């Protein structure tokens, strides 16, 4: 278990109402090994969708 | 295969097989929900399913909550009328899922809240919590009426029943398992409903391709749809007055989805049921992965129905009640002429479509270009005749809005699908409606009990909470029933729901963003900023023409800006910082 410190915490100091919620140890995801990989997958699929939809419209225009 | 050209199709017979499939599916969903939701003894078990859900259940539940029957009735019609650009509305969703997974999910989970608004009291004060909860109750309470209206419309058209009777019937089915079994019944019924929905839409998609004329393949159909402007999925021009473009979808849609999934209790309650932060996160992220492709496929279905009607003459207007009034009205003769002209125009268009496909197959670029221009001109002629007929309909019935988006897909299903499959598609539409409505009244009940009854009224009696939750859920179901009476006046239902949501979501999101990230702002400044922001959004709605997606951005930024301004003008006295415990 590693403690994750998010980059924006440098800009926004710990909120009183959040307590230590953002620095809890992170559970690893059940698939793909790390959360960053899963986030990258979701965003990658979004970019791919936009590209394919653009291409789709142009091919059949 | 197309059974009738006349749009007055209330009398279309639905076979016994269709009724068996429809009735069997709905009965199974209700019984399954009742069985899964049995023995809910305390508020946590009733309202949050005992926090034991896995990510697959959470994902299906989230998707089923968002994808109501409105989605399946209106969205294909939207593609038929306006093309596929509506898909851009969902482009901000995956971004929002990632942001929520990183920030909101761990906070809500570790604070062990029942509702999103509970958190606001710890951060600000009771009045800000209550304001956010009331805005949610107002917005979602009205929207659930629209969710209920769509399938009731299906029944009233099918059976010629009184709309009120249909509304009561659908609401009763939903309330049986939602009131009795709470969140667990809702979540499990939603998993089953998503299976039925997927099956129904796949069948409809398969059939519309299969029913294209001989010699017209799927790529041919896509070329016809493309030439006639129905595959215009992405529009990169930046225009605040254009309702759907890439930027309004990515930016406005991002704020809308951030607010919907992060602050709307009907969604927050879905992932609060997760057994861990990881399970809740994965449920949200899987939704982010699947949503855009799913909406694309539903819109594609509408575009293919559009192509189908290039070869099978469609009615001049898909709303049969409006057509009946025009035929019986003072301008009946004018309308009859318009109908005849439209039939001729669509027959001519069908010939031009066949000519275009033939030219494509010959590979002659000049002939293809000419055939494309001919097809576009024929379509423009048909659209002009249809617009004239719609004007006659409007004059015949001033209360008509001249829109038939909600009737198009349903008309195709009833006229063109074989016995058995009509029942399956209808079961999908009903399942979608029931899944959304159940989650919504479940969340409305939870907010009423946790934020109003328990906190505001100071009632803290654990022995009574489950029963009070049941009564609140039932009461919201009845309220939805009442508001549904007015839903027919709102045009495209899917847009009406989104516009209604956008009026409130920006403000609620702004409150939460200030809570999360602007440490120095306290309750008073946030509360007054939220009131000013809400007034600003209403002003934008009433006095400007900007697309409704931007209301989310306006509301959110107004809250943040005015909260900082009010804090600067009247800073609160220094006080010790309370730290909320994390579980």
């Amino acid at each position: 278990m590693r403690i994750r410190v998010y980059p924006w915490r440098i800009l926004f100091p710990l909120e009183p109402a959040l307590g230590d919620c953002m620095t809890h140890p992170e559970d690893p995801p059940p698939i793909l090994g790390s959360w960053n990989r899963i986030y990258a997958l979701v965003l990658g699929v979004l970019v791919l969708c936009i590209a394919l939809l653009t291409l789709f419209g142009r091919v059949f225009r | 295969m197309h059974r009738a050209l006349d749009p007055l199709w209330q009398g279309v017979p639905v076979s016994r097989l269709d009724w068996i499939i429809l009735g069997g599916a709905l009965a199974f969903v209700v019984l399954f929900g009742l069985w899964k939701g049995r023995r809910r003894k305390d508020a946590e078990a009733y309202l949050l399913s005992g926090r034991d859900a896995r990510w697959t259940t959470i994902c299906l539940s989230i998707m089923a909550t968002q994808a109501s029957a409105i989605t399946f009735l209106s969205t294909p019609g939207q593609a038929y009328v306006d093309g596929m650009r509506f898909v851009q509305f969902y482009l901000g969703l995956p971004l929002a899922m990632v942001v929520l997974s990183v920030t909101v999910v761990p906070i809500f989970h570790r604070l062990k809240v029942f509702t999103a608004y509970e958190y606001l009291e710890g951060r600000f004060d009771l009045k800000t919590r209550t304001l956010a909860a009331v805005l949610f109750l107002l917005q979602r309470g009205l929207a659930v009426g629209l969710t209920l209206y769509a399938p009731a419309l299906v029944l009233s058209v099918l059976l010629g029943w009184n709309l009120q009777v249909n509304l009561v019937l659908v609401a009763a089915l939903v309330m049986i398992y939602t009131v009795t079994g709470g969140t667990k019944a809702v979540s499990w019924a939603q998993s089953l409903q998503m299976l039925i929905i997927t099956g129904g839409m796949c069948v409809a998609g398969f059939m519309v391709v299969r029913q294209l004329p001989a010699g017209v393949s799927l790529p041919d159909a896509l070329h016809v749809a493309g030439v006639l402007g129905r595959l215009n999925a992405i529009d990169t021009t930046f225009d605040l007055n254009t309702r759907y473009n890439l930027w309004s979808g990515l930016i406005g849609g991002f704020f809308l989805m951030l607010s919907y999934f992060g602050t709307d209790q009907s969604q927050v309650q879905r992932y609060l049921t997760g057994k861990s932060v990881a399970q809740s996160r994965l449920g949200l992220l899987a939704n982010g992965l699947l949503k855009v492709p799913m909406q694309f496929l539903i819109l594609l279905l509408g575009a293919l129905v559009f192509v189908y009607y290039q070869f099978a003459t469609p009615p001049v207007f898909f709303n049969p009640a409006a057509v009946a009034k025009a035929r019986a009205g003072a301008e009946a003769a004018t309308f009859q002429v318009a109908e005849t002209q439209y039939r001729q125009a669509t027959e001519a268009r069908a010939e031009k479509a066949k000519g275009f496909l033939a030219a494509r197959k010959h590979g002659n670029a000049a002939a293809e270009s000419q055939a494309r221009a001919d097809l576009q001109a024929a379509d423009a002629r048909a659209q002009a005749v249809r617009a004239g007929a719609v004007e006659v309909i409007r004059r015949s019935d001033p209360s008509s809005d001249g829109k038939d988006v909600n009737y198009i897909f349903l008309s195709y299903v009833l006229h063109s699908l074989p016995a058995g499959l009509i029942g399956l598609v209808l079961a999908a539409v009903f399942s979608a409606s029931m899944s959304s409505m159940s989650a919504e009244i479940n969340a409305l009940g939870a907010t009423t009990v946790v934020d109003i009854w328990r906190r505001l009224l100071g009632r803290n009696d654990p022995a009574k909470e489950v029963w009070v939750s049941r009564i609140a859920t039932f009461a919201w179901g009845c309220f939805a029933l009442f508001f549904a009476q007015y839903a027919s006046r709102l045009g495209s239902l899917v847009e009406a729901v989104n516009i209604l949501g956008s009026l409130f979501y920006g403000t609620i999101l702004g409150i939460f963003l200030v809570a999360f990230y602007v440490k120095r702002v306290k309750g008073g400044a946030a509360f007054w900023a939220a009131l000013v922001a809400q007034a600003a959004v209403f002003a934008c709605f009433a006095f400007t023409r900007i697309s409704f997606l931007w209301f989310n951005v306006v509301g959110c930024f107004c809250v943040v800006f005015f909260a900082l301004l009010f804090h600067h003008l009247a800073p609160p006295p220094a006080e010790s910082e309370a730290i909320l415990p994390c579980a």
Side-chain angles (χ1 to χ4, degrees), chain B residues 200-236:
Chain B
M201 298 314 276
C202 287
V203 160
F206 174 75
M207 289 306 296
V208 72
V209 173
R210 195 165 173 269
Q211 289 176 338
L212 291 170
V216 179
S217 64
L218 178 60
D220 290 339
L222 293 176
H223 277 289
V224 171
V227 163
L228 297 179
R230 295 305 187 278
L231 300 183
N232 51 346
I234 301 291
D235 175 5
T236 54

Side-chain angles (χ1 to χ4, degrees), chain A residues 6 8-9 12-31 35 38-39 41-43 45-46 49-50 53-54 56-57 59-61, chain B residues 87 91 94-95 98 101-103 107 110 119 123 219 222-223 226-227 231 233-234 278-279 281-282 285 289 292 296 300 515-519 577-580 582-583:
Chain A
Y6 292 96
W8 57 84
R9 282 283 156 235
F12 302 99
L14 200 64
E15 293 300 314
L18 304 188
D20 56 348
C21 290
M22 302 303 287
T23 53
H24 258 255
E26 290 229 303
D27 294 334
I31 50 172
W35 288 109
I38 297 180
Y39 298 146
L41 175 70
V42 173
L43 297 180
V45 169
L46 171 64
C49 281
I50 294 172
L53 287 170
T54 308
F56 182 73
V59 166
F60 293 107
R61 188 178 295 168
Chain B
V87 75
L91 295 179
L95 297 171
V98 171
S101 295
V102 173
T103 57
I107 295 169
R110 287 171 183 148
Y119 158 76
R123 173 65 179 82
L222 293 176
H223 277 289
V227 163
L231 300 183
I234 301 291
Q279 297 293 330
R281 269 183 179 164
L282 267 187
L285 292 169
L289 209 58
V292 175
F296 167 75
L300 186 62
F516 288 145
Y517 296 117
V518 191
K519 179 181 178 181
E577 292 181 345
I579 294 183
L580 291 185
C582 287

Side-chain angles (χ1 to χ4, degrees), chain B residues 107-119:
Chain B
I107 295 169
F108 285 167
H109 243 279
R110 287 171 183 148
L111 292 175
K112 293 276 180 194
V113 292
F114 276 73
T115 70
Y117 320 110
E118 215 177 330
Y119 158 76

Side-chain angles (χ1 to χ4, degrees), chain B residues 537-561:
Chain B
V537 172
F538 283 143
C540 284
F541 178 65
F543 303 116
T544 72
R545 294 182 60 206
I546 64 171
S547 165
F548 71 87
L549 282 172
W550 294 104
F551 296 162
N552 300 285
V553 184
V554 170
C556 182
F557 274 106
C558 279
V559 174
V560 176
F561 174 77

